Amino acid sequence: MKLSLSQGLIDFLHLSPTPFHATETMASNLEAAGFQALDEKQPWDLVPGGQYYITRNNSSIIALKLGLNALEDSGFRVVGAHTDSPCLKVKPNADLTQHGYWQLGVEVYGGALLSPWFDRDLSLAGRVTFSVHGKLHSKLINFQTPIAVIPSLAIHLNREANRGWELNPQKELPPIVAQLNSGEQADLHAMLSLQIEREHGIEHADILDFELYFYDTQPAAMIGFEEDFIAGARLDNLLSCYAGLHALLESDDSQTSILVCTDHEEVGSSSACGADGPFLEQVIQRLLPNAEQRFIAIQQSLLISADNAHGIHPNYPEKHDANHGPLLNHGPVIKINANQRYATNSHTAGFFRLLCQQEMIPVQSFVTRSDMSCGSTIGPITASKLGINTLDIGVPTFAMHSIRELAGTDDLAHLVKALTAFYNSESCE
């Protein structure tokens, strides 16, 4: 079970280099399981026992399993995660040429750990908007093969390199994509038009705009003498998306269950398809149009915000509170913060601890050192918008926001088991 889940995650990461691709992959899995796509521009005819999904911006997705019980009696169980990860995003006028090298200008998306991006075999993927014969189209593309690299400066030319230095994203991060011959011009639009033809068979696409992201082509892998760990890109937070999706598909049909995976968490979630936007709220309004019934149902409900936690690093134990250093492969982590950077309270934490006790799942706690700042999640954002009881949890991880992160194979199995039990739980209280 553990190894099959880990391999499933590895396959999911390979298919999901961008939030657009992650959403497309989840939608394909849902459709294969019998879920019906809903169009936000059309009326919905929802029936008890029905299974549905909705996408917005091609980068966020909500999946619904409607139970047979009245929602105002049993509420709904929600698992929330996010589809985006820190990375390098291509600028609109990206073409750069210096000394015959073709580079692409990039800006840093989210709080990326930048140094691991050097000397990697990078590819490019995302969404391209174009016209053909005056009609507007958008398609996803993925070059898949290595097409770019950001070479490090040799140690001989920077003797201070191993003592640390501040990277300049404008100057040092543009990847090299080609070496131009005399008379050749850098033209990303032409390359994108060619890629549209290769992937979609559409000729003469007039490129209008794009949202493109570089990613590492090295595939995720199980590593360690006993395959204790999963190493790969975008574990934060596609691991939680995958676990939530797997749990939803494995859950029974007794309760109304929701999976919401939104874009733009790494940059604040303030967008039409982000957790600070109206996406989930509007779906719930359409699910329960009657306001009184909706308010009652929300108070019977619980949201589990699943986002990776910081495992205690053996080389840097001083970066953790001594009593709150989660270990990889020792179970999911309840995340707590006095300043509401996480939305956990004693009641929601107690619910999860009891659930894990009953399922024989180990559980841990994380609190940031009192002299360090704390990150946040979609948990407090969604709680404040909906008024729903919320719990923040996550799988302990090393190298969060690096181009390659590390998590435990046991923890993935623990998280899937816990979320499945949550979806099947008779009460959220």
Side-chain angles (χ1 to χ4, degrees), residues 51 57 65 78 104 122 144 230 249 252 255 265 268 270 319 330 342 360 388:
Q51 301 183 131
N57 189 50
K65 251 188 179 182
V78 188
L104 295 181
L122 303 177
Q144 296 191 15
I230 305 170
L249 296 179
D252 60 35
Q255 308 296 336
E265 190 274 345
S270 294
K319 294 296 184 179
H330 282 239
Y342 306 131
M360 295 185 290
I388 188 172

Side-chain angles (χ1 to χ4, degrees), residues 239-299:
L239 184 152
S240 298
C241 293
Y242 173 78
L245 177 64
H246 197 281
L248 184 71
L249 296 179
E250 290 296 312
S251 64
D252 60 35
D253 300 325
S254 58
Q255 308 296 336
T256 294
S257 301
I258 301 175
L259 173 67
V260 50
C261 299
T262 48
D263 196 2
H264 301 143
E265 190 274 345
E266 298 293 357
V267 292
S269 292
S270 294
S271 68
C273 62
D276 200 25
F279 188 22
L280 178 59
E281 186 176 15
Q282 290 174 346
V283 168
I284 291 175
Q285 287 172 349
R286 297 182 74 165
L287 180 61
L288 271 176
N290 181 281
E292 186 77 6
Q293 292 178 343
R294 184 167 66 251
F295 297 150
I296 293 171
I298 286 173
Q299 294 309 309

Side-chain angles (χ1 to χ4, degrees), residues 126-355:
R127 181 172 64 182
V128 180
T129 301
F130 57 94
S131 67
V132 177
H133 305 306
K135 292 186 177 181
L136 189 68
H137 304 269
S138 288
K139 293 290 185 182
L140 303 189
I141 64 167
N142 182 2
F143 283 84
Q144 296 191 15
T145 57
I147 61 165
V149 65
I150 309 172
S152 293
L153 183 63
I155 189 69
H156 315 77
L157 304 178
N158 182 9
R159 295 293 184 181
E160 302 299 312
N162 291 330
R163 299 181 183 179
W165 82 101
E166 184 176 355
L167 293 171
N168 184 321
Q170 175 73 16
K171 172 180 170 55
E172 298 179 75
L173 290 185
I176 296 173
V177 294
Q179 191 166 21
L180 301 173
N181 295 319
S182 179
E184 282 188 305
Q185 297 293 317
D187 190 347
L188 177 59
H189 280 212
M191 291 299 297
L192 295 180
S193 183
L194 180 59
Q195 190 66 20
I196 292 291
E197 182 177 350
R198 288 169 179 162
E199 290 195 45
H200 301 286
I202 300 173
E203 297 181 349
H204 310 302
D206 181 16
I207 306 301
L208 301 172
D209 217 323
F210 49 78
E211 295 170 78
L212 296 174
Y213 306 88
F214 282 105
Y215 71 92
D216 186 10
T217 59
Q218 182 181 0
M222 286 176 277
I223 66 172
F225 287 137
E226 302 295 333
E227 296 184 319
D228 290 326
F229 310 108
I230 305 170
R234 303 177 299 284
L235 294 181
D236 176 21
N237 191 29
L238 291 188
L239 184 152
S240 298
C241 293
Y242 173 78
L245 177 64
H246 197 281
L248 184 71
L249 296 179
E250 290 296 312
S251 64
D252 60 35
D253 300 325
S254 58
Q255 308 296 336
T256 294
S257 301
I258 301 175
L259 173 67
V260 50
C261 299
T262 48
D263 196 2
H264 301 143
E265 190 274 345
E266 298 293 357
V267 292
S269 292
S270 294
S271 68
C273 62
D276 200 25
F279 188 22
L280 178 59
E281 186 176 15
Q282 290 174 346
V283 168
I284 291 175
Q285 287 172 349
R286 297 182 74 165
L287 180 61
L288 271 176
N290 181 281
E292 186 77 6
Q293 292 178 343
R294 184 167 66 251
F295 297 150
I296 293 171
I298 286 173
Q299 294 309 309
Q300 303 285 340
S301 304
L302 178 66
L303 163 72
I304 293 183
S305 166
D307 201 347
N308 298 34
H310 295 293
I312 186 167
H313 196 303
N315 296 345
Y316 306 96
E318 71 280 1
K319 294 296 184 179
H320 280 73
D321 182 281
N323 290 341
H324 301 92
L327 296 169
L328 272 62
N329 288 315
H330 282 239
V333 178
I334 297 174
K335 301 161 72 172
I336 302 159
N337 181 258
N339 296 304
Q340 286 297 296
R341 303 296 289 171
Y342 306 131
T344 304
N345 60 40
S346 61
H347 184 78
T348 59
F351 169 87
F352 190 70
R353 289 186 192 280
L354 180 59
L355 182 76

Side-chain angles (χ1 to χ4, degrees), residues 5 16 33 48 58 74 88 113 123 142 181 206 315 384 393:
L5 279 174
S16 308
N58 303 119
S74 60
L88 304 182
L113 189 63
S123 193
N142 182 2
N181 295 319
D206 181 16
N315 296 345
S384 64
I393 66 167

